[in-house]
Amino acid sequence: MIAETRIALKNAGKYKPEDISTYIDLGGYKNAEKALKSKPEDIINWIDEAKLRGRGGAGFSTGQKKRFTNEAICDKCLQKYVICNADEGEPGTFKDRIIMEMDPHLLIEGMLIAAYAIGATKAYIYIRGEYTQSISKLHIALKQAKEKGFLGKNIFNTGFFLDIEIKLGAGSYLCGEELTLLESLEGKRGYPRIKPPFPAEKGLFGMPTLINNVETFAHIPYIIEHGVEHYRSIGTENTPGTKIFTISGDVKKAGYYETSLGVTLRELIYDLAGGIKQDKKFKAAILGGAAGTFVDHTVLDTPMGYDLLKERGAVLGSGAIMVLADDRSIFEMTYSILDFFKHESCGKCVPCRVGTTQLLLLMNQAKHTKSDRIELLNKLLAEAEYMDQTSLCPLGQSPILPLKSIKQYFESQF
Amino acid sequence: MERSNISSKFAPELHNMLNILHELQNDNLQNYLSSEDLKWVANYLNTTYSSVYGVAKYYSMFSLTPRGKYIIRVCKSPLCKMIDGEHIIKCIKEKLKIGIGDTTNDSLFTLETSECLGHCAQAPVMMINDKVYKNLNAQKIDKILKSIIK
């Protein structure tokens, strides 16, 4: 029986998010103090050596991101920025909301350390407009952190200063993509940018910008506190540390669970989430949300890590796990997912705008006729393949993920 | 509507656009952005009306037409849809006698759908203004709507 290992959720439920003194009683902001009294290069090295990978979905090395942002060459560089991507919108994902609602100060502390490491004095939290609870908790937390001197000028008498501001999204899934987020944060429509340049080089207002997910920031104070070696001892060799999994659908105890990486899907579904509702049989799990992958029972014992899942044609993504019992229809679920992509395509680039519409059109045609579903799946794949090759941003490149995995695991049941 | 309040809160810089639009919409009793609002924002941020309109129109949380006092946002993510979400939408439609995007005659409710609201462990869910309602079923919908109408 597996147990939870908590890093990002280590304080969840242990203090009052509206009262900073209860956070300080837990040792809060001690790690930020330790970090601000160390050399910025050392912090970057620690995070790099700890092999912390972005918890938003892509799994990019956080240390590398910091290094690139730190080393960004810019003659007219007036300002560097740190941005927290709190535009959580991947279907089935709610880990960032839990952190922000239960432990907003951990996020602030993580951002403070990151900002110091790269030399940024201004930071933003871009949060989706629908997360009203998270927004109000963060407003209170930021105000209190400022009053206590953890934000503002001359923090811990080191001369370092940082201001963190909240920016609201307004209902666009695409704005969770980092370059689109920048456009939105600058006050524009959520249209993606062409990359390169990457944000580390030219980000917000054309300045070097570090963008990390909420959960990623929540790991930083822990690494500062316990050191690289300890952090590396948790999880797997290539993906150390923990991950919050949000399990939903046909399980008895849906919810959020943080475990060491390398945990198996079977342990998550049967040990932590209590197994399938009404003791039905397991049919599928969708890993990583809509821009994720379907897997069947043969993946139940594969250790969850970015690389190990990739070998099985699956992704870890945001940590979302949507579980389907054996009476659920793969076709119906695929329909919902493709409907979602069509709705969220911004329309800027033709392959995605036309492609997402075409995918849904094909599904609609098949819905009411008993056409050859295998042929349909191949058509969908061909369409998604060219979208993947030609679309401007990850949205148009996403439909291929679920479709390919359906071909691999559920072709006969589509 | 207190626009002077906004100019004291937000500097006249383009990156404040979304926060300002949110504030104006929240201050409006009919939960929308009027063309007067958009003109004011364009003038305040020293940009064109069309660029403000473009932003307001792009984001699904903003409305350019008057809405009800209570905005119902039913989650239609793949997961909520699988756990009976469509039935929830049907229930609300029947009870309020409106379609998606419509406002009731008494201007009390507007029915909308939303992408994943991030409460998937308690699906199906909806929001009414700032409040989240979870584990919905027909009886619960009835009770929630009645408590607001009373």
Side-chain angles (χ1 to χ4, degrees):
Chain A
M1 186 89 178
I2 184 157
E4 281 194 72
T5 306
R6 289 188 163 193
I7 291 179
L9 296 173
K10 64 178 174 150
N11 304 319
K14 291 187 185 162
Y15 78 96
K16 291 191 202 122
E18 301 87 355
D19 181 1
I20 193 170
S21 66
T22 58
Y23 180 69
I24 295 169
D25 289 344
L26 286 177
Y29 290 101
K30 281 247 168 64
N31 298 313
E33 184 169 10
K34 185 176 165 191
L36 264 63
K37 289 176 177 169
S38 314
K39 280 192 206 142
E41 302 84 64
D42 289 341
I43 298 170
I44 295 174
N45 285 336
W46 293 333
I47 291 167
D48 210 4
E49 284 161 20
K51 286 200 185 178
L52 173 60
R53 294 172 70 166
R55 296 305 200 248
F60 192 77
S61 156
T62 307
Q64 294 249 326
K65 254 193 193 179
K66 283 201 172 53
R67 198 176 297 282
F68 293 151
T69 318
N70 189 41
E71 291 169 356
I73 303 159
C74 53
D75 297 335
K76 284 179 250 166
C77 215
L78 302 166
Q79 177 80 56
K80 286 181 189 174
Y81 295 100
V82 164
I83 295 175
C84 170
N85 183 348
D87 194 45
E88 184 169 66
E90 190 61 57
T93 313
F94 49 97
K95 67 199 178 62
D96 297 340
R97 178 177 68 76
I98 301 293
I99 296 172
M100 292 186 286
E101 286 179 9
M102 301 183 87
D103 196 358
H105 284 291
L106 183 70
L107 170 60
I108 296 170
E109 194 171 354
M111 288 180 73
L112 173 57
I113 298 168
Y116 171 74
I118 66 151
T121 54
K122 177 84 196 181
Y124 294 97
I125 302 172
Y126 182 94
I127 180 168
R128 63 182 297 198
E130 296 93 338
Y131 271 11
T132 49
Q133 274 293 314
S134 303
I135 294 166
S136 75
K137 292 267 163 65
L138 276 168
H139 268 299
I140 296 167
L142 285 172
K143 187 168 168 273
Q144 293 184 351
K146 210 170 171 185
E147 282 164 5
K148 290 277 179 192
F150 300 133
L151 292 174
K153 287 178 183 154
N154 196 20
I155 303 165
F156 302 119
N157 293 317
T158 57
F160 181 70
F161 65 100
L162 177 69
D163 177 53
I164 302 182
E165 204 181 309
I166 294 176
K167 289 282 189 180
L168 302 183
S172 162
Y173 165 74
L174 187 50
C175 290
E177 189 276 319
E178 59 180 15
L179 287 135
T180 313
L181 185 152
L182 292 174
E183 286 287 295
S184 179
L185 212 157
E186 289 179 5
K188 300 174 213 158
R189 272 180 285 181
Y191 276 4
R193 291 181 183 174
I194 293 170
K195 60 181 169 184
F198 290 91
E201 206 185 320
K202 264 190 172 186
L204 189 64
F205 309 125
M207 299 296 169
T209 305
L210 174 78
I211 308 177
N212 277 145
N213 174 257
V214 175
E215 190 184 358
T216 313
F217 282 118
H219 278 244
I220 295 175
Y222 188 90
I223 295 171
I224 301 293
E225 184 176 0
H226 298 278
V228 174
E229 225 166 282
H230 171 78
Y231 188 82
R232 289 278 296 269
S233 73
I234 306 164
T236 67
E237 172 57 29
N238 280 324
T239 41
T242 56
K243 179 86 194 74
I244 305 174
F245 293 98
T246 50
I247 310 177
S248 59
D250 296 325
V251 288
K252 286 179 186 160
K253 290 188 283 175
Y256 56 89
Y257 302 95
E258 185 175 10
T259 69
S260 303
L261 280 158
V263 63
T264 65
L265 199 53
R266 187 186 301 279
E267 288 168 322
L268 286 166
I269 293 174
Y270 289 93
D271 289 356
L272 294 173
I276 310 295
K277 263 184 200 166
Q278 298 161 3
D279 292 316
K280 286 181 184 168
K281 271 174 73 183
F282 168 86
K283 179 177 205 162
I286 305 168
L287 309 180
T293 47
F294 287 68
V295 294
D296 70 0
H297 65 95
T298 62
V299 182
L300 280 172
D301 295 307
T302 307
M304 306 278 278
Y306 294 97
D307 306 317
L308 289 164
L309 282 172
K310 208 174 167 187
E311 286 170 20
R312 301 297 314 269
V315 296
L316 181 68
S318 61
I321 299 175
M322 298 187 264
V323 179
L324 278 61
D326 62 353
D327 53 352
R328 299 290 184 185
S329 154
I330 299 288
F331 184 87
E332 285 299 323
M333 204 61 188
T334 311
Y335 186 92
S336 306
I337 288 173
L338 295 178
D339 188 20
F340 168 74
F341 284 131
K342 180 187 172 283
H343 185 258
E344 293 301 323
S345 174
C346 78
K348 182 175 177 174
C349 78
V350 177
C352 177
R353 183 176 68 226
V354 176
T356 50
T357 305
Q358 185 67 12
L359 289 176
L360 194 65
L361 196 74
L362 287 167
M363 290 296 282
N364 269 324
Q365 285 169 357
K367 209 172 184 178
H368 306 292
T369 56
K370 284 207 164 181
S371 58
D372 183 347
R373 290 275 167 91
I374 292 178
E375 195 191 317
L376 168 70
L377 186 57
N378 289 335
K379 272 190 195 165
L380 293 169
L381 273 164
E383 189 82 13
E385 177 69 37
Y386 94 71
M387 288 171 67
D388 179 33
Q389 296 294 328
T390 53
S391 294
L392 194 55
C393 88
L395 197 142
Q397 296 157 4
S398 291
I400 189 74
L401 287 166
L403 291 171
K404 236 185 187 167
S405 64
I406 291 166
K407 173 93 180 166
Q408 184 175 351
Y409 293 107
F410 294 101
E411 187 171 19
S412 61
Q413 295 176 61
F414 187 61
Chain B
M1 175 187 337
E2 283 298 316
R3 286 174 188 155
S4 57
N5 179 32
I6 287 175
S7 40
S8 65
K9 233 170 144 177
F10 300 102
E13 291 162 6
L14 213 53
H15 65 90
N16 283 324
M17 175 97 77
L18 267 70
N19 280 14
I20 291 174
L21 293 177
H22 269 295
E23 199 102 347
L24 283 170
Q25 181 167 279
N26 291 344
D27 282 349
N28 187 317
L29 290 175
Q30 289 176 293
N31 272 312
Y32 84 114
L33 294 161
S34 66
S35 61
E36 288 307 310
D37 288 328
L38 302 187
K39 273 179 210 156
W40 185 86
V41 175
N43 185 42
Y44 184 63
L45 297 180
N46 196 20
T47 183
T48 58
Y49 176 84
S50 62
S51 69
V52 180
Y53 177 88
V55 170
K57 189 83 185 160
Y58 178 84
Y59 294 96
S60 63
M61 286 184 80
F62 299 132
S63 174
L64 300 179
T65 50
R67 290 186 288 186
K69 189 178 172 193
Y70 296 97
I71 297 167
I72 306 173
R73 292 192 171 94
V74 188
C75 183
K76 67 166 178 93
S77 78
L79 198 272
C80 273
K81 215 172 151 187
M82 179 177 98
I83 315 276
D84 232 12
E86 289 200 316
H87 178 62
I88 299 301
I89 295 174
K90 202 173 143 232
C91 272
I92 301 175
K93 275 183 178 171
E94 282 169 5
K95 285 208 167 38
L96 299 178
K97 299 185 181 67
I98 52 172
I100 292 165
D102 297 342
T103 301
T104 52
N105 285 335
D106 57 4
S107 298
L108 201 55
F109 294 103
T110 297
L111 176 61
E112 295 182 356
T113 56
S114 163
E115 293 311 336
C116 183
L117 290 171
H119 291 269
C120 322
Q122 293 100 12
V125 301
M126 67 174 181
M127 285 180 86
I128 299 183
N129 290 351
D130 284 354
K131 201 169 178 321
V132 182
Y133 296 89
K134 306 162 195 170
N135 295 315
L136 297 172
N137 54 41
Q139 290 81 9
K140 268 194 181 171
I141 296 275
D142 204 33
K143 231 174 125 186
I144 295 162
L145 294 180
K146 271 187 185 149
S147 74
I148 293 173
I149 294 167
K150 64 167 179 206

